[in-house]
Amino acid sequence: MALPSFIIVAIDGGAASGKSSSSRILADRFNLLHVDTGSFYRHITAELLRRDVAPTDLPALRVALAAMQFSTRLCGRSAQMLIDGQPAGDEIRSQRVNAHVSHYAAIPEARHALTGYQRGQTDVARQHRFRGLVMEGRDIGSVIFPDADFRFFLHAAPAERIKRRAAEGGQDSIAERDRLDTSRKTSPLTCPAGAVDIDSTHLTLAQVVEKMSVIIATKLTPA
Ligand code: C5P
């Protein structure tokens, strides 16, 4: 069977399940563009909050989203989304954004606004001569790239995830975000059929990455 020359790795999972850390390491190891789609939802959330557009005000939300111009710049190996030419600020990791992001992310119009942009990251990766991309989120293996070459789903016990987030020094509404993300109608957080499901509760980051790397490496020819 012919091996793909450009590979797409999809990693989905709940809040603080280890997606970002593992996808960054995979990006380095396999020369992939790292795409954190949670940061995209966080950026539009910060922008909508700044413009005072409530998630319940659909007409205003549609107008605001339609007016936003998305572009990408590289930050190391990671894709950074610009809205109207501006990068996201530190506030995208704030408690305020943590508390609001899943409400905006549940709105089909908000998801739709980002769909093409997320798929277009393959062009960014090709343009910058990466071997492929690793994209993390909630619906990457189910909706954005259902035909991805590799699809992983990470989960971990809630207590373990809260501990990890606290160790990072962050405060987060993990349980509430997971509740909203799994129960929404459009693109809910779920392990897609056929994805490799990894329970990282009792695994170190290195062990999680090793499991993924072995699966990826066995199907790849040398870069
Ligand atoms: O990955 P992170 O925890 O930063 O994502 C923030 C929020 O963005 C999630 O809780 C979810 O509501 C939303 N999100 C999403 N779909 C994605 C990525 C993130 O709905 N693909």
Side-chain angles (χ1 to χ4, degrees):
M1 198 179 72
L3 292 159
S5 55
F6 182 90
I7 63 164
I8 297 182
V9 181
I11 304 183
D12 290 302
S17 59
K19 303 183 300 293
S20 284
S21 311
S22 50
S23 51
R24 277 177 205 283
I25 298 175
L26 289 179
D28 273 344
R29 199 168 281 182
F30 293 102
N31 183 27
L32 307 173
L33 174 69
H34 167 237
V35 188
D36 169 9
T37 61
S39 72
F40 300 166
Y41 281 95
R42 288 172 177 277
H43 196 175
I44 60 169
T45 296
E47 193 56 31
L48 291 166
L49 288 171
R50 197 181 65 78
R51 297 180 191 197
D52 247 339
V53 179
T56 44
D57 187 351
L58 272 188
L61 192 102
R62 284 190 192 113
V63 170
L65 287 169
M68 289 182 197
Q69 296 288 329
F70 303 136
S71 56
T72 308
R73 78 175 180 194
L74 283 195
C75 187
R77 285 188 176 279
S78 297
Q80 187 177 41
M81 181 171 87
L82 307 178
I83 299 182
D84 300 331
Q86 297 304 312
D90 291 344
E91 82 272 17
I92 68 163
R93 304 284 161 196
S94 67
Q95 261 188 283
R96 183 160 187 242
V97 169
N98 282 340
H100 286 86
V101 61
S102 295
H103 295 280
Y104 288 102
I107 301 167
E109 282 84 350
R111 307 201 69 78
H112 184 71
L114 283 177
T115 301
Y117 176 71
Q118 290 171 95
R119 291 189 179 137
Q121 294 302 307
T122 53
D123 295 334
V124 176
R126 284 194 169 93
Q127 217 178 336
H128 292 277
R129 302 196 177 282
F130 286 100
R131 184 182 193 163
L133 61 77
V134 51
M135 185 175 281
E136 48 159 314
R138 302 294 189 288
D139 60 344
I140 311 307
S142 56
V143 175
I144 303 299
F145 291 122
D147 297 324
D149 302 284
F150 305 96
R151 294 182 304 154
F152 297 103
F153 189 85
L154 279 182
H155 64 262
E160 175 63 23
R161 291 190 285 135
I162 290 166
K163 206 169 84 188
R164 288 178 195 169
R165 189 50 47 97
E168 287 168 4
Q171 273 194 313
D172 199 347
S173 3
I174 290 178
E176 177 62 358
R177 285 206 286 129
D178 277 0
R179 190 186 66 74
L180 291 166
D181 294 344
T182 49
S183 62
R184 68 184 175 218
K185 285 208 176 73
T186 310
S187 311
L189 168 66
T190 177
C191 178
V196 178
D197 192 342
I198 299 176
D199 180 352
S200 74
T201 308
H202 303 294
L203 299 178
T204 62
L205 172 62
Q207 288 170 322
V208 171
V209 172
E210 199 46 36
K211 272 180 184 285
M212 294 171 160
S213 295
V214 166
I215 292 171
I216 296 171
T218 52
K219 291 199 191 166
L220 287 185
T221 46

mmCIF file of all heavy atoms in Angstrom, residues 4 16 23 48 63 93 96 104 108 113 131 133 142-143 149 155-156 158 160 162 168 175 187 198 217 219-220:
data_model
loop_
_atom_site.group_PDB
_atom_site.id
_atom_site.type_symbol
_atom_site.label_atom_id
_atom_site.label_comp_id
_atom_site.label_asym_id
_atom_site.label_seq_id
_atom_site.Cartn_x
_atom_site.Cartn_y
_atom_site.Cartn_z
ATOM 1 N N PRO A 4 1.315 7.683 2.647
ATOM 2 C CA PRO A 4 1.023 9.072 2.334
ATOM 3 C C PRO A 4 2.273 9.940 2.426
ATOM 4 O O PRO A 4 3.084 9.760 3.327
ATOM 5 C CB PRO A 4 0.000 9.465 3.404
ATOM 6 C CG PRO A 4 0.201 8.505 4.517
ATOM 7 C CD PRO A 4 0.741 7.236 3.921
ATOM 8 N N ALA A 16 -7.647 19.506 29.321
ATOM 9 C CA ALA A 16 -6.478 19.057 30.097
ATOM 10 C C ALA A 16 -6.249 17.551 30.009
ATOM 11 O O ALA A 16 -5.813 16.920 30.967
ATOM 12 C CB ALA A 16 -6.614 19.499 31.564
ATOM 13 N N SER A 23 0.854 16.660 21.334
ATOM 14 C CA SER A 23 0.922 17.030 19.918
ATOM 15 C C SER A 23 2.146 17.894 19.618
ATOM 16 O O SER A 23 2.718 17.808 18.533
ATOM 17 C CB SER A 23 -0.377 17.665 19.413
ATOM 18 O OG SER A 23 -0.790 18.688 20.232
ATOM 19 N N LEU A 48 -15.176 38.080 20.614
ATOM 20 C CA LEU A 48 -16.609 38.321 20.754
ATOM 21 C C LEU A 48 -16.929 38.967 22.104
ATOM 22 O O LEU A 48 -17.796 39.845 22.199
ATOM 23 C CB LEU A 48 -17.388 37.006 20.577
ATOM 24 C CG LEU A 48 -17.370 36.456 19.136
ATOM 25 C CD1 LEU A 48 -17.841 35.004 19.082
ATOM 26 C CD2 LEU A 48 -18.224 37.325 18.201
ATOM 27 N N VAL A 63 -23.031 38.617 12.311
ATOM 28 C CA VAL A 63 -22.392 39.798 11.711
ATOM 29 C C VAL A 63 -20.927 39.878 12.142
ATOM 30 O O VAL A 63 -20.024 40.077 11.320
ATOM 31 C CB VAL A 63 -23.160 41.092 12.113
ATOM 32 C CG1 VAL A 63 -22.380 42.332 11.700
ATOM 33 C CG2 VAL A 63 -24.560 41.096 11.509
ATOM 34 N N ARG A 93 -6.217 32.540 27.715
ATOM 35 C CA ARG A 93 -6.070 31.488 28.747
ATOM 36 C C ARG A 93 -6.662 31.954 30.077
ATOM 37 O O ARG A 93 -6.439 31.340 31.112
ATOM 38 C CB ARG A 93 -4.590 31.137 28.967
ATOM 39 C CG ARG A 93 -3.868 30.723 27.706
ATOM 40 C CD ARG A 93 -4.202 29.316 27.276
ATOM 41 N NE ARG A 93 -3.870 29.101 25.876
ATOM 42 C CZ ARG A 93 -4.304 28.102 25.127
ATOM 43 N NH1 ARG A 93 -5.108 27.198 25.643
ATOM 44 N NH2 ARG A 93 -3.970 27.997 23.879
ATOM 45 N N ARG A 96 -11.935 34.078 32.426
ATOM 46 C CA ARG A 96 -13.119 34.611 31.732
ATOM 47 C C ARG A 96 -13.346 33.828 30.433
ATOM 48 O O ARG A 96 -14.454 33.404 30.124
ATOM 49 C CB ARG A 96 -12.916 36.107 31.449
ATOM 50 C CG ARG A 96 -14.120 36.753 30.808
ATOM 51 C CD ARG A 96 -14.080 38.248 30.980
ATOM 52 N NE ARG A 96 -15.338 38.813 30.499
ATOM 53 C CZ ARG A 96 -15.438 39.653 29.496
ATOM 54 N NH1 ARG A 96 -14.344 40.060 28.863
ATOM 55 N NH2 ARG A 96 -16.611 40.103 29.106
ATOM 56 N N TYR A 104 -19.728 29.630 23.292
ATOM 57 C CA TYR A 104 -19.608 30.072 21.888
ATOM 58 C C TYR A 104 -19.335 28.876 20.969
ATOM 59 O O TYR A 104 -19.864 28.798 19.861
ATOM 60 C CB TYR A 104 -18.482 31.100 21.740
ATOM 61 C CG TYR A 104 -18.805 32.449 22.341
ATOM 62 C CD1 TYR A 104 -18.281 32.827 23.569
ATOM 63 C CD2 TYR A 104 -19.650 33.342 21.677
ATOM 64 C CE1 TYR A 104 -18.573 34.065 24.132
ATOM 65 C CE2 TYR A 104 -19.938 34.588 22.225
ATOM 66 C CZ TYR A 104 -19.400 34.937 23.452
ATOM 67 O OH TYR A 104 -19.691 36.157 24.003
ATOM 68 N N PRO A 108 -23.514 26.539 16.141
ATOM 69 C CA PRO A 108 -23.128 26.053 14.810
ATOM 70 C C PRO A 108 -22.454 27.123 13.955
ATOM 71 O O PRO A 108 -21.472 26.843 13.256
ATOM 72 C CB PRO A 108 -24.463 25.605 14.185
ATOM 73 C CG PRO A 108 -25.332 25.283 15.359
ATOM 74 C CD PRO A 108 -24.908 26.216 16.462
ATOM 75 N N ALA A 113 -17.791 28.953 11.064
ATOM 76 C CA ALA A 113 -16.850 30.029 10.714
ATOM 77 C C ALA A 113 -15.407 29.525 10.730
ATOM 78 O O ALA A 113 -14.547 30.058 10.022
ATOM 79 C CB ALA A 113 -17.017 31.197 11.688
ATOM 80 N N ARG A 131 6.058 17.999 6.982
ATOM 81 C CA ARG A 131 5.703 16.702 6.437
ATOM 82 C C ARG A 131 4.203 16.420 6.566
ATOM 83 O O ARG A 131 3.661 15.475 5.985
ATOM 84 C CB ARG A 131 6.484 15.635 7.194
ATOM 85 C CG ARG A 131 6.241 14.287 6.626
ATOM 86 C CD ARG A 131 6.963 13.224 7.378
ATOM 87 N NE ARG A 131 6.925 12.026 6.576
ATOM 88 C CZ ARG A 131 7.722 10.998 6.775
ATOM 89 N NH1 ARG A 131 8.596 11.037 7.735
ATOM 90 N NH2 ARG A 131 7.606 9.943 6.018
ATOM 91 N N LEU A 133 0.584 17.621 9.332
ATOM 92 C CA LEU A 133 0.199 18.403 10.507
ATOM 93 C C LEU A 133 -0.390 17.527 11.583
ATOM 94 O O LEU A 133 -0.901 16.433 11.306
ATOM 95 C CB LEU A 133 -0.756 19.536 10.126
ATOM 96 C CG LEU A 133 -2.123 19.262 9.501
ATOM 97 C CD1 LEU A 133 -3.119 18.802 10.532
ATOM 98 C CD2 LEU A 133 -2.642 20.532 8.857
ATOM 99 N N SER A 142 -13.467 13.462 13.994
ATOM 100 C CA SER A 142 -14.864 13.146 13.651
ATOM 101 C C SER A 142 -15.405 14.036 12.549
ATOM 102 O O SER A 142 -16.147 13.576 11.687
ATOM 103 C CB SER A 142 -15.758 13.278 14.900
ATOM 104 O OG SER A 142 -15.621 14.573 15.465
ATOM 105 N N VAL A 143 -15.031 15.318 12.538
ATOM 106 C CA VAL A 143 -15.650 16.276 11.603
ATOM 107 C C VAL A 143 -14.632 16.956 10.681
ATOM 108 O O VAL A 143 -14.847 17.039 9.469
ATOM 109 C CB VAL A 143 -16.435 17.363 12.400
ATOM 110 C CG1 VAL A 143 -16.972 18.442 11.469
ATOM 111 C CG2 VAL A 143 -17.564 16.730 13.198
ATOM 112 N N ASP A 149 -4.893 10.377 8.569
ATOM 113 C CA ASP A 149 -4.095 9.143 8.538
ATOM 114 C C ASP A 149 -4.024 8.490 9.912
ATOM 115 O O ASP A 149 -3.962 7.275 10.022
ATOM 116 C CB ASP A 149 -2.675 9.484 8.048
ATOM 117 C CG ASP A 149 -2.716 10.141 6.681
ATOM 118 O OD1 ASP A 149 -2.926 9.418 5.706
ATOM 119 O OD2 ASP A 149 -2.594 11.388 6.609
ATOM 120 N N HIS A 155 -8.105 10.382 26.846
ATOM 121 C CA HIS A 155 -8.898 10.718 28.020
ATOM 122 C C HIS A 155 -8.140 10.380 29.295
ATOM 123 O O HIS A 155 -7.156 9.643 29.260
ATOM 124 C CB HIS A 155 -10.298 10.113 27.977
ATOM 125 C CG HIS A 155 -10.330 8.629 27.990
ATOM 126 N ND1 HIS A 155 -10.457 7.875 26.862
ATOM 127 C CD2 HIS A 155 -10.216 7.762 29.009
ATOM 128 C CE1 HIS A 155 -10.444 6.606 27.180
ATOM 129 N NE2 HIS A 155 -10.294 6.501 28.468
ATOM 130 N N ALA A 156 -8.589 10.966 30.385
ATOM 131 C CA ALA A 156 -7.962 10.729 31.692
ATOM 132 C C ALA A 156 -9.027 11.022 32.743
ATOM 133 O O ALA A 156 -9.954 11.795 32.488
ATOM 134 C CB ALA A 156 -6.757 11.650 31.881
ATOM 135 N N PRO A 158 -11.105 12.607 35.623
ATOM 136 C CA PRO A 158 -11.240 14.042 35.927
ATOM 137 C C PRO A 158 -10.295 14.531 37.026
ATOM 138 O O PRO A 158 -9.677 15.586 36.880
ATOM 139 C CB PRO A 158 -12.706 14.174 36.363
ATOM 140 C CG PRO A 158 -13.401 13.025 35.692
ATOM 141 C CD PRO A 158 -12.390 11.916 35.594
ATOM 142 N N GLU A 160 -7.390 13.488 37.846
ATOM 143 C CA GLU A 160 -6.028 13.558 37.309
ATOM 144 C C GLU A 160 -5.872 14.811 36.430
ATOM 145 O O GLU A 160 -4.861 15.510 36.479
ATOM 146 C CB GLU A 160 -5.745 12.280 36.494
ATOM 147 C CG GLU A 160 -4.409 12.248 35.777
ATOM 148 C CD GLU A 160 -3.214 12.297 36.718
ATOM 149 O OE1 GLU A 160 -3.355 11.930 37.891
ATOM 150 O OE2 GLU A 160 -2.127 12.743 36.249
ATOM 151 N N ILE A 162 -7.585 17.621 36.632
ATOM 152 C CA ILE A 162 -7.604 18.817 37.484
ATOM 153 C C ILE A 162 -6.218 18.996 38.120
ATOM 154 O O ILE A 162 -5.680 20.106 38.186
ATOM 155 C CB ILE A 162 -8.717 18.698 38.561
ATOM 156 C CG1 ILE A 162 -10.087 18.805 37.873
ATOM 157 C CG2 ILE A 162 -8.559 19.754 39.647
ATOM 158 C CD1 ILE A 162 -11.260 18.387 38.705
ATOM 159 N N GLU A 168 0.109 23.096 36.225
ATOM 160 C CA GLU A 168 0.521 24.100 35.226
ATOM 161 C C GLU A 168 0.311 25.505 35.769
ATOM 162 O O GLU A 168 0.632 26.489 35.112
ATOM 163 C CB GLU A 168 -0.337 23.961 33.953
ATOM 164 C CG GLU A 168 -0.027 22.745 33.109
ATOM 165 C CD GLU A 168 -1.094 22.516 32.038
ATOM 166 O OE1 GLU A 168 -2.026 23.346 31.901
ATOM 167 O OE2 GLU A 168 -1.011 21.486 31.351
ATOM 168 N N ALA A 175 -14.568 20.459 34.300
ATOM 169 C CA ALA A 175 -15.759 19.606 34.296
ATOM 170 C C ALA A 175 -16.899 20.271 33.535
ATOM 171 O O ALA A 175 -17.605 19.625 32.750
ATOM 172 C CB ALA A 175 -16.177 19.305 35.730
ATOM 173 N N SER A 187 -21.195 18.792 16.466
ATOM 174 C CA SER A 187 -19.820 18.321 16.671
ATOM 175 C C SER A 187 -19.457 18.110 18.139
ATOM 176 O O SER A 187 -18.490 18.713 18.627
ATOM 177 C CB SER A 187 -18.824 19.302 16.055
ATOM 178 O OG SER A 187 -19.171 19.625 14.755
ATOM 179 N N ILE A 198 -6.825 6.349 23.986
ATOM 180 C CA ILE A 198 -5.748 6.185 24.976
ATOM 181 C C ILE A 198 -6.174 6.780 26.313
ATOM 182 O O ILE A 198 -6.484 7.965 26.404
ATOM 183 C CB ILE A 198 -4.445 6.891 24.504
ATOM 184 C CG1 ILE A 198 -3.963 6.283 23.173
ATOM 185 C CG2 ILE A 198 -3.341 6.777 25.559
ATOM 186 C CD1 ILE A 198 -2.743 6.983 22.571
ATOM 187 N N ALA A 217 5.034 5.818 13.399
ATOM 188 C CA ALA A 217 6.303 5.416 12.773
ATOM 189 C C ALA A 217 6.185 4.124 11.984
ATOM 190 O O ALA A 217 6.810 3.984 10.932
ATOM 191 C CB ALA A 217 7.382 5.288 13.845
ATOM 192 N N LYS A 219 3.926 3.133 10.198
ATOM 193 C CA LYS A 219 3.288 3.312 8.895
ATOM 194 C C LYS A 219 4.028 4.285 7.991
ATOM 195 O O LYS A 219 3.574 4.604 6.895
ATOM 196 C CB LYS A 219 1.855 3.833 9.099
ATOM 197 C CG LYS A 219 0.944 2.804 9.721
ATOM 198 C CD LYS A 219 -0.484 3.184 9.461
ATOM 199 C CE LYS A 219 -1.425 2.326 10.286
ATOM 200 N NZ LYS A 219 -2.768 2.870 10.324
ATOM 201 N N LEU A 220 5.149 4.824 8.493
ATOM 202 C CA LEU A 220 5.851 5.841 7.710
ATOM 203 C C LEU A 220 7.180 5.365 7.156
ATOM 204 O O LEU A 220 7.872 4.584 7.790
ATOM 205 C CB LEU A 220 6.139 7.067 8.585
ATOM 206 C CG LEU A 220 4.973 7.958 8.943
ATOM 207 C CD1 LEU A 220 5.500 9.163 9.690
ATOM 208 C CD2 LEU A 220 4.221 8.406 7.700
#
